[in-house]
Every structure is written in structure tokens, then in C-alpha cells.
Amino acid sequence: MLNAALGRLRRMNELSPTFRLLLAASFLIPLAGFMVMPFMSFFLHDRMKMDLEVVGLVIAVASFVQMSGGVVGGYVADRFGLRRTMVVALVIRTISFALFVVSIRVPALSIPALLLSAVGVALYLPANKAYVVRDCDADRRPLFLSLNNAALNSGMALGPLISGLFIMRAPMAVFAVASGIFAAVTLLHVKALPPDAEIRRPETRQERGGAVRLLLIPPVITAALGFYAYMFFQNYLSLYVVAHYSSTVFSVLLLINGLLVVALQPVLAKRINGLGFPLATALSFALFACGLLLIGWAGLLAVVVGVVLISLGEVVLFLKSELEALRYSPDSPGVVFGNQRLATGIGAFASAWAGGWFYQRATNSPDGDSRFWMYCAVQAAIGGLLALAVSMLSRRNAARADEETAGLGREVDPTASDDRAASDDRAASDDRATSGKQTASDEQNASLG
């Protein structure tokens, strides 16, 4: 496996400077963003003296815009150009982080800065991923997307680690450095990326209807259900682990999760692409359910194994969902990735709300923590069954439609039977004046075949 991974990575020498720039941007942008974003709840509460409920509402709205707004970002990218959309998004994020710098003196600017940053993310990510897959063949898409995801996860992991050492003592310096990174990446996009070749014309009614249907395809529904199950782990692991072990253990567990995704997804990308979508769905949700169940068991070893299983499910499901969604609309990758962002936003929002409801009620009973993770595991299993049902139903409907189309084709154009009749009895068919031309055409087709 390692040799195969190294062989794939050697092919990086064949990649264009454009892709290398996008890969670097996919690392630097979350690095700069996560130098600031994880600490926003503290600054809103400490600097602006907001109640924690209000802080939670502001961050929830920003998170929903950032993730679910990607559906708008995808449409904008496909209609007005990928490069143009990325540049506009980066300009917005640069302005937002400049506002963070000023917010040290004027704390009220933190809220518009946070919302502007969310808009920038919603615009940038679908266009970035669409640019990654636009010029590569289908065989390379899994590797390219997995490398892009690995860069994103690496930046997200390192950002808080770097800024955590300085942000409480010198927040203005951290905000300024993050703003500088965004400004530099914006200039790189302007100078190094080739301009958009063409801009699509305004969409027709038929195209709009197709875009709406892309919201209801199995990989989008599966992504929403998968993120619903996965975000129980992200949102509530800290409450459980810090209460039973320590904050250091929680940090190590998050590090394990990040390292597994970064290291394994590029290595396994080709195999993940080769999995059937129902199989990948069943495997991923089974890993989620088992991992969530193990977290609630007694013992740190069970928690570690649970985190590993959930990480493996994450490696498989979210890459496979993106690849599967691209097959439905290969010519509109921005829309595809925007819809995936919308799905993950809905799943994350629902998981945060439902998780709080379940956690509150579980902790009112003996062994409440363990019971909460059992609830989560059951919901992951149910989500997997629903995702499988949607996938299988979609395949059945597609097969039925193909059969009906084939049957209609045989009724309207009985070419095969005419070929056999022409070869057996040309004299009889020549007597039919209305079918003479068709017979001659069929004989030509048969000879060419």
C-alpha cells in the first residue's frame, strides 16, 4: 500500500503549476482561518460581553452560512467563472480578517467580520474543488480530491496549534498575520491562475429544474445523513472525554482523527473510487455506528478504537459521496460541490440541535454519558439504512427507466427484426413500398456492424 501511495505521489511531478498553487492555497487558507475562528467564542464573550446564548446563535448562523451557503457559491462559480469566484471570495475574506484586526479596538466589528468570512468560505470552496477536478481525467479525480482534502485538514489542524501559543497575548499580531496570508493567496490567484476561458450563459428553466434535482440525488442525501452521524463525534466528544479523562487526551484524539484522514485518504483514494456506492455507504455508516458505540464503553482504549473507526468512516464516505455526485453532473462541478456543502451544513446543524437534546436527557439518568453514545450509534445505524434505501431505490428507478426506454425504442424502431426479415426474405419485404427505404438502410447498418 505504501509503495502504491508513493507511486501516486511521484506523479505529482507531472502536475501543472496551477494545481500545485491550488493545493498550497487549500492548505494556507484554512491555516489562516483556523488561527482565528476557533477562538471567536472567547472574543465575542470576553471582548463584547455577549451572553453565551447569543454567542452560540451568532456562531451557529455563521457556520450555517459558511457550509450551506456553498450551494449558492457553486452556482455562482459555474455561471460566472471559477477563477473569478475564487478571487472575489478571497478578497471578501481578506477584508473580513482586516476587520478582525480593527475589532481589537472596535469589538462590534467582530460580528460583520465573522459573517463576511463565512460568505467567503461559501464562495471559495465549491469553486476551488471544481477547479481541481475540471482539467483532470476521471482516473485522477479520486487522488486529486483526496490530496485537496488532506491539505484542507492539515491547515485546519495546524492553525489553532500555531496561534494558540500567541493569540491570548498578542491577538492583533495573529489577526494581522492571518490577514497577510489571505492577501498573499489572493494575489497568487490573480497572478498565477489562468483567466476563465468562457462564462456560461444564463441558465434556462430546464437547467434550473436539473439543478434542483441534483439536490435530491443519493450522494447528497447520504452526505447529509453521514454528517449528521459524524458531527455527534465532533460536537460532543469534548464533553465526554474532558469529564472522564482530560483536555490533553481530547487534543490527542483530535490529532489522531486528523492524521488518519490526511494520511489515509490519498493512499486509499483509488480503492474508495472503485467501491460501489451502496457498499461504501454501508461500510462507512457501520464504522460510524461501531465507533460511536465504543466511545461510550468503559476504558480509554475503547474510546481510541472508536475514534479510529469513525475516522475510517470519514475517509471513505465523504470522498466517495463527492465522486459519486460528480457522475450525476460532470459538466457542473461547482454546483455539485455546492450541493455537497449544503448537505453537510444541514447535517451538521441537525446534529448539533439533536445532540444537545439527547445529551441533556441522557445525563439525567444513571450512566447517562454511555447512554448518549448508544443513542448516537443507533441513529447512525438508522441513517445508514435510510441512505442505503435511497441509493437502492434510485438504482431501481434508473434501471426501470432504462428498460422502458429500451422497450419504447423497440416499438418505434424495430431495426433488429427488420434486419432478420431482410436477410431471410428480401422479396417479401421489397413488396412493402413503405418499408423499402428502411430495409435498404438496415442492410447497410448490418454490413457496417
Side-chain angles (χ1 to χ4, degrees):
M1 184 182 294
L2 180 59
N3 291 334
L6 292 175
R8 293 190 191 103
L9 291 177
R10 288 191 195 102
R11 297 173 68 185
M12 291 287 289
N13 294 327
E14 306 171 14
L15 301 179
S16 66
T18 298
F19 179 77
R20 296 180 187 180
L21 167 64
L22 291 175
L23 206 58
S26 295
F27 170 75
L28 290 172
I29 289 171
L31 175 73
F34 276 75
M35 288 172 65
V36 173
M37 292 305 169
F39 305 95
M40 282 312 301
S41 59
F42 169 80
F43 281 98
L44 291 175
H45 179 61
D46 184 71
R47 298 299 177 101
M48 294 191 64
K49 307 302 179 185
M50 283 186 179
D51 292 336
L52 287 176
E53 291 183 359
V54 178
V55 170
L57 178 62
V58 170
I59 292 177
V61 170
S63 299
F64 189 76
V65 170
Q66 175 175 307
M67 299 184 74
S68 299
V71 69
V72 178
Y75 292 131
V76 170
D78 280 342
R79 298 302 180 268
F80 300 103
L82 302 178
R83 175 181 177 269
R84 181 177 288 108
T85 302
M86 285 190 287
V87 170
V88 170
L90 288 171
V91 169
I92 291 173
R93 292 207 76 186
T94 303
I95 293 172
S96 72
F97 274 73
L99 288 177
F100 279 129
V101 176
V102 182
S103 71
I104 299 300
R105 303 293 183 189
V106 187
L109 291 177
S110 298
I111 294 178
L114 183 63
L115 295 176
L116 275 177
S117 179
V119 171
V121 175
L123 286 174
Y124 183 84
L125 276 179
N128 172 273
K129 289 199 169 190
Y131 211 114
V132 165
V133 303
R134 185 184 65 174
D135 296 326
C136 68
D137 54 57
D139 290 338
R140 287 192 171 188
R141 279 183 172 180
L143 178 61
F144 282 19
L145 279 176
S146 62
L147 287 173
N148 191 62
N149 291 338
L152 286 167
N153 282 286
S154 299
M156 290 166 61
L158 287 178
L161 188 63
I162 294 172
S163 66
L165 302 173
F166 310 102
I167 194 165
M168 296 304 173
R169 290 178 292 172
M172 183 175 288
V174 173
F175 293 169
V177 169
S179 302
I181 292 174
F182 277 111
V185 173
T186 303
L187 288 176
L188 281 175
H189 278 63
V190 172
K191 297 292 185 181
L193 284 185
D196 295 306
E198 61 180 278
I199 299 174
R200 291 181 59 179
R201 295 179 179 179
E203 59 182 8
T204 64
R205 251 182 222 179
Q206 184 176 1
E207 287 175 329
R208 284 197 296 271
V212 172
R213 284 194 296 272
L214 286 175
L215 289 170
L216 302 176
I217 59 177
V220 173
I221 296 172
T222 299
L225 292 169
F227 231 73
Y228 176 80
Y230 172 74
M231 289 305 290
F232 287 128
F233 158 73
Q234 284 287 350
N235 289 330
Y236 297 101
L237 183 69
S238 60
L239 291 176
Y240 179 78
V241 171
V242 172
H244 289 268
Y245 305 102
S246 69
S247 58
T248 302
V249 172
F250 173 66
S251 299
V252 171
L253 292 173
L254 287 187
L255 182 62
I256 291 172
N257 171 248
L259 288 176
L260 285 174
V261 175
V262 170
L264 292 182
Q265 201 171 68
V267 173
L268 299 175
K270 188 174 182 179
R271 295 187 180 184
I272 293 171
N273 185 50
L275 289 176
F277 188 64
L279 176 59
T281 300
L283 175 62
S284 301
F285 278 93
L287 289 168
F288 284 159
C290 292
L292 291 167
L293 189 61
L294 279 172
I295 288 175
W297 281 19
L300 181 58
L301 179 60
V303 176
V304 173
V305 175
V307 170
V308 170
L309 292 179
I310 291 170
S311 302
L312 293 175
E314 178 185 359
V315 165
V316 174
L317 183 64
F318 300 128
L319 176 60
K320 184 61 180 179
S321 293
E322 289 180 340
L323 293 170
E324 184 72 11
L326 279 171
R327 295 188 179 100
Y328 281 81
S329 183
D331 297 328
S332 302
V335 171
V336 169
F337 291 120
N339 289 347
Q340 292 296 106
R341 292 287 295 176
L342 173 63
T344 57
I346 292 172
F349 187 85
S351 181
W353 177 82
W357 190 87
F358 278 109
Y359 208 102
Q360 181 66 37
R361 280 149 185 78
T363 51
N364 290 333
S365 61
D367 299 326
D369 285 348
S370 298
R371 184 169 297 185
F372 168 75
W373 295 106
M374 182 183 70
Y375 292 160
C376 295
V378 169
Q379 291 179 82
I382 294 173
L385 292 175
L386 289 174
L388 273 176
V390 169
S391 179
M392 299 305 294
L393 181 62
S394 175
R395 285 172 176 259
R396 184 179 301 174
N397 291 339
R400 186 179 301 165
D402 290 342
E403 290 176 1
E404 291 176 355
T405 301
L408 183 62
R410 285 192 296 271
E411 292 175 5
V412 175
D413 184 20
T415 305
S417 61
D418 285 349
D419 284 340
R420 287 192 296 269
S423 62
D424 292 340
D425 192 2
R426 286 190 180 87
S429 61
D430 289 337
D431 291 337
R432 302 178 187 173
T434 58
S435 62
K437 293 182 180 180
Q438 177 64 38
T439 302
S441 174
D442 292 337
E443 289 174 349
Q444 291 176 359
N445 290 338
S447 64
L448 289 175

